[in-house]
Structure formats: C-alpha cells, structure tokens
Amino acid sequence: MSGRPDSDTGPEAADSEAAAGQDTAGDPAQDEEAARRARWTAAATGAALTLAGLAAAVLRLTRPAPALVPAAYASGAAVCAAAAVLGSRGRTRRALWLLIAGVMVMALGDQFD
C-alpha cells in the first residue's frame, strides 16, 4: 500500500470500528420483527397481485381478445397466489422471485392483446 508509515490508527478510530462491529451483530427482537414484516409484506403483495391478475383476466374475458390473454393473466395470478402462500410461511426470497415471475407472465399476456 502507499500509506505513510507513521499513519497509525488512533484510539477513536479503533472505538468506531468496535462500535460498527456491534451494530452488525443484530438484536434478536429486531430480527424477529424484520422477519415478521417481510412475511406480511410478501403475503400482502402476493394477495394484491393475485386480485389484480384475476380482475384483469375477468375483464379480458368480457371483451373480444385472444384466449391466451385471460389465460396469461389467470396463470400469473396463480403464480402470485403461490407466492403469497410461500411468503406467509416465511419463504420470502422464493416468494419474491415468484412474484416477479407472476408479473412477467401477466405482462407477457398483455403483449398478446
């Protein structure tokens, strides 16, 4: 490294590094609250996207559109419903990816319209 040899870390720098290490340890109560919040968020988002996908499928069924469009919306809604179930059970990472996949399926169905 190209630092000066007399650049020693002072005691205040060592104290701030120790404090930073303590912050990353995490409080178990805060971790539980964060996990609970993630579960609720995944479940609520999945339920909202499921309802939106089903509503779009019903609306597309009433209008003249190719049959693939409402089927894509309904299948995307089913994927989002599965994501809501997984999210409520604590599998939030998988739920996130399923939500993304469900919305992509619905967007693909919208392209066929």
Side-chain angles (χ1 to χ4, degrees), residues 21-40:
Q22 290 175 355
D23 289 341
T24 59
D27 184 23
Q30 289 177 346
D31 291 343
E32 290 176 13
E33 181 64 29
R36 185 177 299 117
R37 197 173 329 128
R39 286 192 303 268
W40 275 99

Side-chain angles (χ1 to χ4, degrees), residues 4-101:
R4 295 183 355 201
D6 62 340
S7 61
D8 192 19
T9 57
E12 56 275 342
D15 290 340
S16 66
E17 289 173 3
Q22 290 175 355
D23 289 341
T24 59
D27 184 23
Q30 289 177 346
D31 291 343
E32 290 176 13
E33 181 64 29
R36 185 177 299 117
R37 197 173 329 128
R39 286 192 303 268
W40 275 99
T41 302
T45 304
L49 287 173
T50 299
L51 290 176
L54 288 176
V58 168
L59 285 175
R60 298 296 181 184
L61 277 174
T62 60
R63 295 183 181 161
L68 187 59
V69 175
Y73 277 115
S75 62
V79 171
C80 288
V85 170
L86 281 178
S88 69
R89 293 183 180 178
R91 304 287 187 191
T92 55
R93 187 174 297 153
R94 290 183 181 131
L96 172 67
W97 285 109
L98 280 178
L99 286 173
I100 292 169

